[in-house]
Amino acid sequence: MKTQVGIIGAGPAGLLLSHLLHLQGIESILIENRSRTYIESRVRAGVLEQGTVNTLNEAGVGERMRKEGLLHHGIELSFHNKRHRINMHELTDGRAITVYGQQEVVKDLVKARLVAGGQLLFEVEDVSVHNLDSNQPKIRFRKDGEEQEIACDFIGGCDGFHGICRPSIPAGVLQVFERVYPFGWLGILAQSKPPSEELIYCHHERGFALFSMRTPEITRLYIQCTPDEDIANWPDDRIWHELELRLGADESIQLQEGKILQKGVTPMRSFVVEPMQYGRLFLAGDAAHIVPPTGAKGMNLAVADIRHLSRALGGYYQNNRTDLLEQYSATCLRRVWRSEHFSWWMTALLHRFPDYTPFQQRLQLSELEYVTSSRAASTSLAENYVGLPMN
Ligand code: RFL
Ligand code: PHB
């Protein structure tokens, strides 16, 4: 097989890249090691920045998101069992976030690719990349038991944190920056009305909790747990009880229990590689960087990378430009590091760290009070949360 851009991974990054290239008349083949059903039902992110929403709308895949997405103008921070609203809309000149599940974005993109006759190959095996520093890199894999090879001009490495693209770059090329946190999130999706119309981030002495949602009938809830927590230790009753305690519910708010549809534990880390490129392999999204989910930045960063990569590839094919491809990594990394800082800061502000002294715990509470009472401090949180303007 031969194509212009070979793309590995059908997450938000790979699918959006394939679609944005198609809109510029650039051909791609996308390969994914899981099934279509699997990627369309994987429950993950839920918060889209304004810039992400604009990108999806401009790409013509925003119709269902505009109908079903929930527009939020604020979030709440809870500490000392009291809730404080951050009015993001007012603090950021009218910007907002949209709550719309990542798997819905994935479904919309898969559909758009298939309608346009795009080549999407699911359930491929043994993927490897070759000749990355030549003008004709290659992707090899097995599909239905047969060995296949794609010769291409460029490779989009969009295969997530555990993919093969990043580890295929020769040793010594990449600089790795990493921080692993001493906790994880136990996440559930439940058939129950969310306790509030907006997201509630809770600081609590028993640990962090987050109250989010997918629809007015489906809640998405998270509890801070150990990074290697055994889900078997969390029967449904224990989960609801713990959420109730951490929400610190007063009469104005009630947690409704409901059928738990999905449960999972996510360890938390911050991770960046520099540069996000080697030869003709360009890394994008989680393949190049990870943030802890507290700032809701992971998928938004993946979309921002793809905007730059598709524009750079467009410049190459339409005007023979190589400058945008050369600047790709540096351009992306500026936003990546801003989001890394914000996600680390939100994580440090809201979680219970096992090694924190009473002194550090007091500092955390003092910062929460400052963030929720000073206009300058809440504006800083708000503008980072809704996302800095994309270019
Ligand atoms: P993905 O989504 O991991 O997609 C990579 C794809 O590559 C496939 N793959 C391979 N395919 C072929 N060959 C191989 N060898 C392959 N190896 C892997 C995988 O099967 C997969 O389909 O990466 P991408 O596209 O970079 O997207 C990144 C986002 O998924 C991620 O950053 C977000 O989910 C992070 N995240 C959040 N981001 C937000 O912007 N807002 C949020 O509210 C938010 N909440 C979250 C999150 C992530 C979470 N978890 C579970 C990690 C909440 C949670 C709990
Ligand atoms: C979610 O709804 O899944 C979600 C929301 C906000 C976050 C992380 C996850 O910070």
Side-chain angles (χ1 to χ4, degrees):
M1 286 185 261
K2 207 166 163 14
T3 193
Q4 289 175 302
V5 182
I7 303 174
I8 305 179
L15 287 163
L16 183 63
L17 177 60
S18 173
H19 185 63
L20 293 182
L21 292 177
H22 162 73
L23 295 178
Q24 300 177 89
I26 302 166
E27 197 186 273
S28 67
I29 300 177
L30 193 163
I31 62 167
E32 161 64 48
N33 61 2
R34 303 287 193 153
S35 68
R36 179 177 174 188
T37 314
Y38 183 90
I39 63 153
E40 290 189 344
S41 51
R42 190 163 43 193
V43 181
R44 280 189 165 178
V47 172
L48 310 186
E49 295 174 356
Q50 188 71 59
T52 300
V53 168
N54 294 347
T55 301
L56 296 172
N57 278 329
E58 285 159 20
V61 290
E63 195 187 327
R64 207 161 59 89
M65 171 183 70
R66 285 194 299 277
K67 264 196 239 133
E68 296 174 19
L70 308 170
L71 192 66
H72 284 198
H73 291 132
I75 55 168
E76 290 191 319
L77 300 185
S78 161
F79 55 98
H80 284 324
N81 291 328
K82 214 168 158 278
R83 289 178 286 129
H84 305 257
R85 181 162 193 262
I86 306 284
N87 187 336
M88 297 183 306
H89 195 68
E90 188 189 295
L91 295 166
T92 63
D93 293 329
R95 281 188 283 153
I97 51 149
T98 298
V99 175
Y100 187 64
Q102 176 170 326
Q103 77 271 34
E104 306 307 324
V105 174
V106 163
K107 278 184 213 161
D108 297 342
L109 284 166
V110 169
K111 191 167 158 215
R113 289 311 296 125
L114 294 177
V115 166
Q119 287 205 67
L120 281 183
L121 306 179
F122 291 105
E123 296 178 83
V124 304
E125 292 171 293
D126 286 337
V127 178
S128 59
V129 289
H130 307 270
N131 307 359
L132 298 176
D133 52 1
S134 77
N135 287 343
Q136 188 85 138
K138 292 189 169 59
I139 304 175
R140 296 201 184 111
F141 58 98
R142 213 158 5 93
K143 171 84 182 141
D144 301 326
E146 267 182 49
E147 305 290 334
Q148 304 275 1
E149 184 177 278
I150 307 175
C152 36
D153 300 334
F154 298 97
I155 297 178
C158 304
D159 52 352
F161 184 65
H162 301 286
I164 55 95
C165 289
R166 191 182 65 249
S168 304
I169 296 175
V173 171
L174 299 179
Q175 202 177 349
V176 176
F177 302 85
E178 185 169 26
R179 182 186 182 114
V180 177
Y181 298 87
F183 41 75
W185 281 12
L186 189 161
I188 64 161
L189 191 71
Q191 186 99 47
S192 71
K193 192 171 165 321
S196 162
E197 275 179 19
E198 293 179 338
L199 272 67
I200 312 174
Y201 287 83
C202 296
H203 174 279
H204 197 276
E205 60 196 17
R206 299 178 69 85
F208 170 77
L210 170 61
F211 296 79
S212 179
M213 71 282 296
R214 287 295 175 270
T215 70
E217 292 81 41
I218 305 268
T219 54
R220 177 77 170 140
L221 310 169
Y222 297 98
I223 304 172
Q224 179 183 343
C225 61
T226 60
D228 52 357
E229 191 79 43
D230 182 355
I231 203 99
N233 294 332
W234 288 87
D236 295 3
D237 282 355
R238 181 174 175 210
I239 294 178
W240 289 115
H241 182 61
E242 197 61 42
L243 283 165
E244 185 119 26
L245 291 174
R246 296 188 192 187
L247 179 63
D250 53 38
E251 310 80 62
S252 68
I253 195 158
Q254 278 243 308
L255 184 62
Q256 286 192 4
E257 294 186 18
K259 185 172 176 223
I260 296 185
L261 308 169
Q262 193 262 356
K263 267 188 215 180
V265 172
T266 313
M268 310 248 291
R269 73 170 78 227
S270 301
F271 178 94
V272 183
V273 291
E274 292 186 5
M276 290 168 53
Q277 177 208 352
Y278 172 69
R280 290 201 163 208
L281 168 66
F282 290 83
L283 301 176
D286 280 13
H289 40 73
I290 292 285
V291 285
T294 329
K297 290 287 166 240
M299 178 167 55
N300 293 299
L301 272 183
V303 168
D305 289 351
I306 294 306
R307 267 177 87 96
H308 292 305
L309 187 53
S310 66
R311 203 178 291 160
L313 289 166
Y316 175 84
Y317 284 109
Q318 278 138 28
N319 305 311
N320 254 326
R321 283 176 68 171
T322 53
D323 57 329
L324 294 176
L325 285 168
E326 280 153 19
Q327 291 156 18
Y328 167 74
S329 175
T331 307
C332 291
L333 283 166
R334 278 197 294 278
R335 186 181 196 86
V336 167
W337 278 112
R338 177 85 300 279
S339 295
E340 288 288 344
H341 178 269
F342 178 66
S343 306
W344 162 82
W345 176 79
M346 282 280 277
T347 303
L349 180 69
L350 290 160
H351 288 76
R352 189 186 163 86
F353 284 72
D355 61 346
Y356 264 21
T357 61
F359 176 78
Q360 287 165 303
Q361 287 165 14
R362 285 286 190 280
L363 291 183
Q364 211 181 26
L365 286 163
S366 166
E367 189 164 24
L368 277 163
E369 267 171 31
Y370 178 55
V371 159
T372 50
S373 58
S374 147
R375 189 173 175 95
S378 40
T379 303
S380 169
L381 188 159
E383 72 173 3
N384 278 281
Y385 196 86
V386 297
L388 294 163
M390 280 203 190
N391 45 31

